[in-house]
Amino acid sequence: MEMEGRDAGDNMKKETAFEKVRRWSGTVTRNICKAGRDDPRSVIHALKVGFSLTLVSMLYLLEPLFGGIGENAIWAVMTVVVVLEFTAGATLRKGFNRGLGTLIAGSLVFFLEFVADKSGRIPRAIFIGIAVFLTGFAATYMRFFPNIKKNYDYGIVIFLLTFNLIAVSSFRVHNVLEIAHDRFYTIAIGCGVCLLMTLLVFPNWSGLELHNSTVSKLEGLAESIEACVDNYFKDLEITEDEKSSDEEDLICRGYKLILDSKTVDETLALHASWEPKHSCYKSPWKQYVRVGAALRHFGYTLVALHGCLQSEIQAPRSVRDLFKTPCTRVAREISKTFKELADSIRNKRHLAPILDSDDLHEALLDLNNAIKSQPRLFLGGSKNHHNDASQMLALAAATANAHQNPDMNSSVVTLPERTRKRAADLYKDPERKVFRTTLSKLDITSLEFSEALPFAAFASLLVEMAARLDMVTEQVEELGRLSKFKEYKADQVEIVVTNGENRPVKKNRKFGTNLGSNEVE
């Protein structure tokens, strides 16, 4: 019986381990397939790298080719590993730097060999040591120059590596020039294979990636603004108890994509400048970076607007309902403008002569009139709470003075007895002193500065977003001018807007009339 029990326990452990392995392998397989479906270009790039490595490995594996190239064929494999990047611009930049660094290093070693050929062994060693020191110092110091570091940092590293390896080896190896000759050819072969694969076989262009990412950021901002405003005017019970994580992810994804894009934009613009021209003119990649900077400046306001949704002090439901329509209209107009900007860059055409500025201006006027129609909401609480508010403000002042001089607690005679005891006990108990150095949320709400104060912050940020919209529009217009976008034709442009029921409708920019409620493909 004991043996049967042990066998059953061992079988259960084996089954448990097998299930864990099966679940783990299934999870890994799903993640691999998901990564390939999300970006098929990654699969194509991996295939290109594998084929390139196989091609250059033949120089080392096949005996006839090995006899012609020698053991330095391994440098061709190393070149493919480090040079073949995801985009064509990055590959061209690294390939040029690697070839230029190798060529300059080989030429300098050849010059050193010519100078030190007739000297003795000890003077030769001293000469090589001095040359290595001076070259390492000069090349490393050059890496601190911004322009050189930006474009040729990798080439300087390759120059230092190649020069030191060949120069030091020349002290004991007599055919060092032949080695340098073979190494240069193998590196050239590796760079040639990389360039052919990256330019001719399903190329990925850095410029196109930068262009598409700019469009995606504009569309993401439009979606985030609409989602943020819609979420703010939802019922408080729904917002707190049934809060949708998808909506929060939509809001955060819109501005996080922008705030984290500075390094990516600059890198893509640098790599795109190395790529061949796709048309008769050179695209202004630096202007794309300026558009991204303007979007980041706008995104800071969106982050603050999203913070109003998560604030501890919220405006009452009744206050929000008073201003829901004008605020929603302002958000819709801002979002519509961003969609038009994205459509302009995507189709490489100029903006409309009048980018619905009248509609946005009217929406801002409606919001301003709505706020002016409720002046008492923004002037403070009711008269019934005036005394309580004054007492709480006096308590805050007495608390601050007592923190500096505890003896002053006895001089507070204008407060009621209960309030004075509370202020005194606040600093007698050392444990409570840590947690009550500031007023609590309950004390802040009891001050009742204004019921609409939290909404005032939200509305001011919304107006600030409308003001910063001009800066983004100017940068996009400059991009169109420098890129020589095609002229705007009103009868060929239809953009997606949303009506009050959040359904997409087609709107003709020329006549400003709705063409129907059919969904746009």
Side-chain angles (χ1 to χ4, degrees):
M1 293 295 292
E2 292 181 358
M3 293 295 295
E4 292 178 355
R6 292 179 180 177
D7 293 340
D10 294 340
N11 291 332
M12 292 182 62
K13 291 181 179 180
K14 291 179 180 179
E15 292 178 357
T16 303
F18 177 75
E19 288 294 329
K20 290 182 178 179
V21 173
R22 186 176 65 83
R23 287 196 300 270
W24 178 80
S25 61
T27 302
V28 172
T29 303
R30 285 193 298 271
N31 292 335
I32 293 175
C33 295
K34 183 178 182 299
R37 287 193 300 268
D38 293 342
D39 191 0
R41 298 178 303 170
S42 61
V43 180
I44 297 175
H45 177 68
L47 292 174
K48 291 196 296 185
V49 173
F51 182 77
S52 300
L53 288 173
T54 304
L55 188 62
V56 297
S57 297
M58 294 297 102
L59 299 174
Y60 195 85
L61 297 176
L62 298 181
E63 191 66 27
L65 296 178
F66 176 79
I69 299 297
E71 296 182 358
N72 288 296
I74 198 64
W75 284 87
V77 179
M78 296 175 60
T79 300
V80 171
V81 172
V82 299
V83 171
L84 188 54
E85 295 287 342
F86 182 74
T87 62
T91 303
L92 287 169
R93 176 173 173 266
K94 295 193 73 171
F96 177 81
N97 275 268
R98 188 173 181 86
L100 183 63
T102 303
L103 180 62
I104 295 176
S107 302
L108 187 58
V109 169
F110 178 79
F111 174 75
L112 292 178
E113 281 290 313
F114 178 78
V115 172
D117 187 34
K118 300 296 180 65
S119 62
R121 186 174 182 81
I122 295 179
R124 181 187 179 89
I126 297 174
F127 182 77
I128 292 176
I130 295 175
V132 168
F133 170 77
L134 293 177
T135 305
F137 167 77
T140 304
Y141 186 73
M142 290 176 62
R143 296 180 65 187
F144 290 99
F145 292 90
N147 292 333
I148 294 179
K149 182 176 181 62
K150 181 180 180 181
N151 294 285
Y152 306 105
D153 186 72
Y154 179 70
I156 293 177
V157 173
I158 295 300
F159 165 77
L160 283 175
L161 177 64
T162 305
F163 175 79
N164 282 274
L165 288 176
I166 298 178
V168 175
S169 300
S170 65
F171 185 72
R172 298 184 181 276
V173 180
H174 296 287
N175 59 344
V176 64
L177 296 180
E178 182 180 353
I179 295 176
H181 180 270
D182 293 340
R183 184 169 298 180
F184 175 77
Y185 275 107
T186 53
I187 291 177
I189 291 173
C191 290
V193 171
C194 292
L195 295 180
L196 290 176
M197 293 299 295
T198 193
L199 294 176
L200 302 180
V201 182
F202 299 102
N204 297 317
W205 304 105
S206 299
L208 183 61
E209 182 76 15
L210 179 60
H211 179 87
N212 293 334
S213 66
T214 304
V215 175
S216 299
K217 286 184 288 189
L218 287 166
E219 293 178 338
L221 271 180
E223 295 176 355
S224 296
I225 293 169
E226 291 187 0
C228 187
V229 175
D230 291 340
N231 198 10
Y232 183 78
F233 288 102
K234 281 185 177 180
D235 294 336
L236 294 178
E237 293 79 7
I238 295 178
T239 304
E240 294 177 358
D241 301 334
E242 302 177 5
K243 196 172 185 179
S244 175
S245 59
D246 294 337
E247 293 179 353
E248 288 293 319
D249 292 341
L250 178 62
I251 298 172
C252 297
R253 186 168 60 249
Y255 61 74
K256 284 184 177 180
L257 180 64
I258 295 172
L259 299 181
D260 299 337
S261 64
K262 183 177 185 295
T263 303
V264 177
D265 289 349
E266 292 177 351
T267 302
L268 288 175
L270 174 62
H271 293 165
S273 63
W274 288 81
E275 294 176 351
K277 298 179 181 180
H278 303 295
S279 59
C280 59
Y281 61 92
K282 191 68 173 178
S283 297
W285 304 119
K286 291 183 178 180
Q287 184 61 29
Y288 279 91
V289 178
R290 297 188 186 99
V291 173
L295 291 177
R296 281 192 298 275
H297 188 67
F298 183 92
Y300 300 144
T301 309
L302 181 57
V303 174
L305 190 72
H306 185 213
C308 294
L309 275 67
Q310 302 172 339
S311 176
E312 294 293 336
I313 308 299
Q314 296 289 343
R317 178 78 263 165
S318 58
V319 174
R320 297 191 190 191
D321 291 338
L322 289 174
F323 307 99
K324 178 179 179 180
T325 302
C327 286
T328 304
R329 185 183 176 189
V330 172
R332 293 288 183 270
E333 294 299 330
I334 296 175
S335 176
K336 186 171 64 175
T337 303
F338 272 111
K339 290 178 181 179
E340 165 62 18
L341 295 175
D343 187 70
S344 170
I345 296 178
R346 180 191 292 109
N347 298 321
K348 294 184 178 181
R349 63 165 177 82
H350 286 288
L351 296 173
I354 299 177
L355 188 60
D356 283 350
S357 58
D358 293 339
D359 294 340
L360 179 58
H361 182 67
E362 292 176 0
L364 291 172
L365 285 179
D366 290 344
L367 177 58
N368 187 41
N369 294 333
I371 293 175
K372 287 183 177 180
S373 65
Q374 304 291 334
R376 298 185 62 182
L377 288 176
F378 301 93
L379 294 179
S382 61
K383 295 181 179 180
N384 295 332
H385 299 282
H386 178 72
N387 295 331
D388 294 338
S390 300
Q391 291 177 0
M392 293 303 298
L393 289 172
L395 171 61
T399 302
N401 292 332
H403 183 69
Q404 297 178 357
N405 188 1
D407 296 335
M408 293 181 63
N409 287 335
S410 59
S411 63
V412 181
V413 295
T414 59
L415 297 177
E417 185 66 24
R418 177 177 60 84
T419 306
R420 187 166 61 250
K421 290 179 62 178
R422 180 182 178 186
D425 293 341
L426 182 63
Y427 293 94
K428 289 182 180 180
D429 191 348
E431 295 182 357
R432 294 181 62 189
K433 182 178 179 180
V434 177
F435 299 100
R436 294 305 303 277
T437 55
T438 60
L439 295 177
S440 65
K441 178 182 176 182
L442 180 62
D443 293 335
I444 294 174
T445 55
S446 66
L447 292 176
E448 294 195 12
F449 295 107
S450 171
E451 289 183 341
L453 185 60
F455 170 76
F458 180 85
S460 64
L461 289 171
L462 198 60
V463 174
E464 178 66 18
M465 291 174 64
R468 296 191 180 191
L469 186 61
D470 290 338
M471 180 176 56
V472 180
T473 304
E474 290 175 0
Q475 294 298 332
V476 175
E477 288 178 345
E478 182 67 13
L479 175 63
R481 186 186 66 82
L482 296 176
S483 300
K484 300 180 181 179
F485 285 171
K486 59 186 178 182
E487 293 298 327
Y488 169 82
K489 295 181 180 180
D491 56 345
Q492 297 180 359
V493 179
E494 290 178 349
I495 62 172
V496 178
V497 299
T498 53
N499 56 13
E501 299 177 357
N502 293 330
R503 293 184 301 177
V505 299
K506 289 183 179 180
K507 184 178 179 181
N508 189 286
R509 299 304 298 274
K510 182 176 181 180
F511 302 100
T513 57
N514 292 337
L515 303 178
S517 59
N518 297 328
E519 292 187 0
V520 182
E521 295 181 358

